[in-house]
Amino acid sequence: MDFEGIILTYWPKFLEGTLVTLQLTFFGVTIAALLSPPLAMLRLKGPRAVQIPLRIYVSFVRGTPMLAQLFLIYYGSGQFRPLLQEVGLWGFFREPYNCALLTFALNSTAYQIEIIRGGLMGVPHGEIEAADGIGMSTWTKYRRVILPHTYRIAWPALGNEIILLMKASALASVVTVFDLMGQTRLIFSKTFDLSAYAWAALIYLIITTVFVTLWRISERTISPQIFASKRKDRAVIAGMRG
Amino acid sequence: MKYGRLMAAGLAMGLAVAALPAGAADKLKLGTEGAFPPFNYIDASGNLAGFDIDIGVELCKRMEVECELVAQDWDGIIPGLLAKKYDFIIASMFITDERKKQVSFTDPYYAAAMTHVAPKGAGITDFSAEGMAGKVIGAQSGTTQAAFIEKVYPDADIRLYGTQDEANLDMANGRLDLMVGDVIPSVDWVSKTDDGACCEIVGEPITDREFVGDGTGIAVRKEDNALRENLNKALAEILADGTYKKINDKYFTINVYTMKAE
């Protein structure tokens, strides 16, 4: 089979796999995006008894390969089946998709906690003092001053994290999930044709490119002042040259 | 132009030298998987061992060549042969028409059959496509077993694993309703291992030629016909003089060449 033949014959499989990959990434990232802001605040300002376990969790996740974490959750949960059955969780862990999603969510949460923490620390003190000065409540202060600025700072790093997770989701294929990589391996094992992997790489590249473009547009929307000032600078420089 | 011609000559010489070791082979590389006990596995001291390995080493001895053992994941085992990472594969590979498109096979060195494995007392009796619809069925990916499940049980929830060991582990962990494996390793697993105690062999052995092919053979690259013939000659020798039986009896209680009790 030739290069085009692979995609012409197997495109439904590639499509199926791509959807699973997108789904895994989307749910993983979303769960992490909901969990990480409160956890990042606790990590910064919480009591020591909360900070220490959070620190251990973050360094464990960042310091071990995701493949090892996935194996621990997938095959590890199997070893504890009687216990999990007793508490009614085996139904969840029995499905490889759930184990992969749990691993990705745990992983991305740890990274996003650190990214949001960096963002929170990057908000200038003056802004916070000004908010206090005009008598904003804590809730209003976070909602109107701290969090918007935090996300402006964290946005590019968050985009990066999403791309990394999307690519890492290929690991799901080793625990029998038919994501894009899983489907590709299946196609390769039938055809022994390396172009299957070339197509997979191309699809991953397309996903990333589309995502990066969308993310850049969103960056402009949430931080218009940065791009506006850049344009102004350029206009000024152009004017000086003229 | 002069330099161009010189370079071309140099390149040709380089190629000729590079081609030499493959032509005048007194040292061969034997590719195997190393995750398929008792046929091929990594033993406690980290060396490749098993029935396939013993047969392979014996064949090398008969061919009077030195052999180096190479372990390679199953998924990439045929591409690895084609990429000349080793010269022949002896890894319990069934001789199928699909594989014959890529490689040549020697005469079979043992008979092929597959079987179903299920948790003890699961009471699976209906092996029709309808009976298996929605059941979670596992096998090693890229194997005849995987091809069998996909073809015969199209409506099952199919799970494919990198190695048979991983499939076994998930079977023991209770994620699978059914598994399809080679007869001997499956029997070995359910009868001799702690994990395997969960499960039992069910149904009739699968011997359909469409899936198990013509037995288990040694794969070589298509152009290496001389090597294939040498391997066949050596195999006939060890079958005739009792060496094969000695190796067989070291691992099995039945004769795997015929899959019959002696």
Side-chain angles (χ1 to χ4, degrees):
Chain A
M1 203 172 288
D2 52 7
F3 188 65
E4 298 86 33
I6 288 282
I7 200 84
L8 289 174
T9 316
Y10 292 105
W11 69 266
K13 295 279 167 199
F14 278 113
L15 183 66
E16 225 176 278
T18 305
L19 291 178
V20 174
T21 290
L22 289 176
Q23 217 181 47
L24 269 174
T25 312
F26 176 77
F27 288 133
V29 165
T30 308
I31 293 169
L34 294 175
L35 290 178
S36 56
L39 289 176
M41 286 176 207
L42 282 175
R43 167 74 182 76
L44 266 182
K45 303 215 164 126
R48 266 180 79 81
V50 179
Q51 277 204 29
I52 290 170
L54 267 179
R55 273 187 196 207
I56 293 174
Y57 158 64
V58 169
S59 29
F60 176 80
V61 168
R62 292 206 301 180
T64 55
M66 208 205 268
L67 183 61
Q69 297 162 14
L70 182 59
F71 272 172
L72 270 178
I73 289 180
Y74 185 72
Y75 289 111
S77 65
Q79 306 288 309
F80 294 103
R81 175 161 57 111
L83 183 74
L84 289 169
Q85 267 170 336
E86 221 166 273
V87 294
L89 281 174
W90 176 245
F92 177 86
F93 283 101
R94 190 174 197 251
E95 292 306 314
Y97 181 92
N98 294 343
C99 291
L101 182 57
L102 178 65
T103 311
F104 298 158
L106 281 175
N107 213 282
S108 199
T109 305
Y111 279 97
Q112 291 193 30
I113 287 176
E114 287 304 287
I115 293 170
I116 302 290
R117 185 174 72 97
L120 285 168
M121 288 167 75
V123 178
H125 269 289
E127 288 183 20
I128 300 167
E129 278 164 16
D132 286 336
I134 58 169
M136 279 189 186
S137 69
T138 309
W139 168 245
T140 318
K141 190 171 64 179
Y142 268 100
R143 191 168 58 86
R144 304 205 49 174
V145 180
I146 301 181
L147 283 179
H149 201 159
T150 298
Y151 274 96
R152 280 193 193 121
I153 297 168
W155 209 245
L158 283 175
N160 206 16
E161 159 58 19
I162 295 170
I163 292 174
L164 287 175
L165 187 72
M166 197 276 290
K167 290 189 295 177
S169 73
L171 288 176
S173 67
V174 301
V175 294
T176 74
V177 174
F178 286 112
D179 68 332
L180 177 53
M181 196 63 189
Q183 293 286 6
T184 306
R185 284 169 57 176
L186 188 60
I187 294 163
F188 178 72
S189 75
K190 282 180 191 161
T191 58
F192 300 117
D193 191 332
L194 277 171
S195 24
Y197 286 110
W199 279 111
L202 194 64
I203 296 170
Y204 278 113
L205 189 63
I206 292 171
I207 297 174
T208 321
T209 312
V210 171
F211 174 79
V212 166
T213 313
L214 292 178
W215 203 255
R216 204 161 284 162
I217 293 170
S218 70
E219 210 174 308
R220 268 167 215 226
T221 318
I222 66 165
S223 312
Q225 77 288 357
I226 296 175
F227 294 92
S229 67
K230 263 191 192 156
R231 266 200 302 277
K232 215 191 292 164
D233 289 349
R234 246 182 269 136
V236 171
I237 293 166
M240 285 190 330
R241 279 214 195 106
Chain B
M1 274 320 281
K2 218 163 86 187
Y3 288 108
R5 216 178 274 170
L6 248 173
M7 265 171 66
L11 201 66
M13 268 170 64
L15 282 175
V17 171
L20 257 181
D26 44 17
K27 191 166 180 192
L28 290 175
K29 286 189 176 175
L30 182 167
T32 193
E33 188 197 3
F36 200 60
F39 288 97
N40 59 74
Y41 55 93
I42 314 274
D43 68 11
S45 49
N47 297 317
L48 283 161
F51 177 80
D52 287 344
I53 312 297
D54 287 1
I55 293 282
V57 167
E58 190 59 35
L59 292 178
C60 290
K61 230 184 265 172
R62 298 302 167 109
M63 296 190 296
E64 293 173 355
V65 292
E66 206 182 311
C67 284
E68 187 188 328
L69 303 177
V70 182
Q72 159 73 46
D73 283 350
W74 184 259
D75 275 350
I77 205 159
I78 285 183
L81 176 71
L82 300 178
K84 306 201 171 172
K85 289 187 178 169
Y86 30 81
D87 303 293
F88 59 105
I89 302 169
I90 176 157
S92 295
M93 188 180 282
F94 291 176
I95 305 167
T96 62
D97 294 339
E98 199 58 35
R99 289 181 179 136
K100 275 194 217 160
K101 289 179 195 159
Q102 307 279 334
V103 295
S104 303
F105 284 98
T106 61
D107 298 333
Y109 68 97
Y110 74 88
M114 313 191 289
T115 188
H116 294 95
V117 180
K120 274 182 182 156
I124 294 175
T125 47
D126 181 3
F127 291 94
S128 67
E130 298 78 49
M132 288 299 162
K135 288 250 183 336
V136 184
I137 309 184
Q140 183 178 3
S141 74
T143 59
T144 46
Q145 292 88 334
F148 173 83
I149 301 178
E150 277 189 80
K151 189 98 184 262
V152 182
Y153 307 136
D155 299 323
D157 182 355
I158 298 171
R159 305 273 167 86
L160 300 179
Y161 299 84
T163 65
Q164 186 64 44
D165 288 342
E166 282 168 12
N168 291 346
L169 185 54
D170 243 10
M171 185 88 222
N173 283 345
R175 281 205 180 90
L176 300 176
D177 297 321
L178 195 72
M179 179 169 81
V180 178
D182 277 11
V183 164
I184 303 262
S186 299
V187 170
D188 215 58
W189 184 65
V190 297
S191 59
K192 288 188 191 156
T193 63
D194 293 341
D195 275 355
C198 64
C199 304
E200 60 187 353
I201 304 290
V202 293
E204 295 291 312
I206 305 154
T207 51
D208 190 343
R209 201 197 154 270
E210 187 191 347
F211 299 107
V212 301
D214 302 315
T216 311
I218 304 167
V220 300
R221 286 181 291 271
K222 286 198 164 169
E223 66 268 25
D224 290 346
N225 205 36
L227 173 60
R228 196 178 72 89
E229 279 167 13
N230 286 340
L231 283 165
N232 274 339
K233 216 174 108 225
L235 180 62
E237 257 178 58
I238 66 165
L239 275 164
D241 71 5
T243 316
Y244 182 96
K245 189 178 168 346
K246 224 186 279 169
I247 298 173
N248 180 87
D249 294 351
K250 184 175 154 194
Y251 293 95
F252 312 112
T253 48
I254 64 163
N255 179 348
V256 292
Y257 192 70
T258 55
M259 283 291 166
K260 283 181 188 128
E262 289 168 289

